[in-house]
Amino acid sequence: HDDTVGAVTDSAFGMDLGDEVMRHPTPLYEIAFVSLLGLYIWWKGLRPHAEGSLFATFLTGYLAFRFLCDFLKPYELLLGLRGIQWACLVGLVHEARVWASFRKPLIEEIPS
């Protein structure tokens, strides 16, 4: 196996990769999550929304998912997190700034 699948588990969701060891099927978790996220974005797109907010929704959701899902993978830790989790945190901080910008007017009025 490679490290794209999850760590060993005794969960009912475990998947045998041919070595008789049950692991978290993180690729299947990802397929399910991205499918639901896609449906949510489609639904949000039917209503008025700020330009770029649908992509920001996707990016925020996916980064949060990857951050949490990687706790189920057997990588070595760097200061308590895996490398991809550090990258996700940086991305989530950036996305917080993006979401804040959606609340500001694009053009401020010039005082007379």
Side-chain angles (χ1 to χ4, degrees):
H1 85 91
D2 60 27
D3 288 334
T4 60
V5 296
V8 174
T9 184
D10 58 2
S11 164
F13 296 111
M15 177 175 71
D16 180 355
L17 298 175
D19 58 1
E20 298 182 16
V21 176
M22 301 302 278
R23 293 184 175 81
H24 281 282
T26 54
L28 298 180
Y29 298 161
E30 186 170 358
I31 289 169
F33 176 80
V34 171
S35 296
L36 291 173
L37 182 59
L39 285 173
Y40 176 73
I41 291 169
W42 170 79
W43 178 76
K44 290 290 283 184
L46 297 175
R47 292 158 178 71
H49 55 276
E51 185 175 341
S53 66
L54 298 180
F55 180 69
T57 299
F58 168 76
L59 202 52
T60 302
Y62 187 73
L63 289 170
F65 168 80
R66 278 303 302 265
F67 178 80
L68 295 172
C69 188
D70 270 50
F71 282 112
L72 300 175
K73 294 183 179 181
Y75 300 134
E76 292 193 24
L77 301 177
L78 173 65
L79 299 174
L81 298 174
R82 290 155 179 82
I84 190 68
Q85 289 173 305
W86 286 109
C88 288
L89 283 177
V90 170
L92 287 168
V93 167
H94 172 73
E95 285 305 298
R97 295 178 67 212
V98 169
W99 282 106
S101 74
F102 289 137
R103 295 201 166 110
K104 295 179 186 175
L106 295 178
I107 301 174
E108 294 184 26
E109 291 186 35
I110 300 172
S112 315

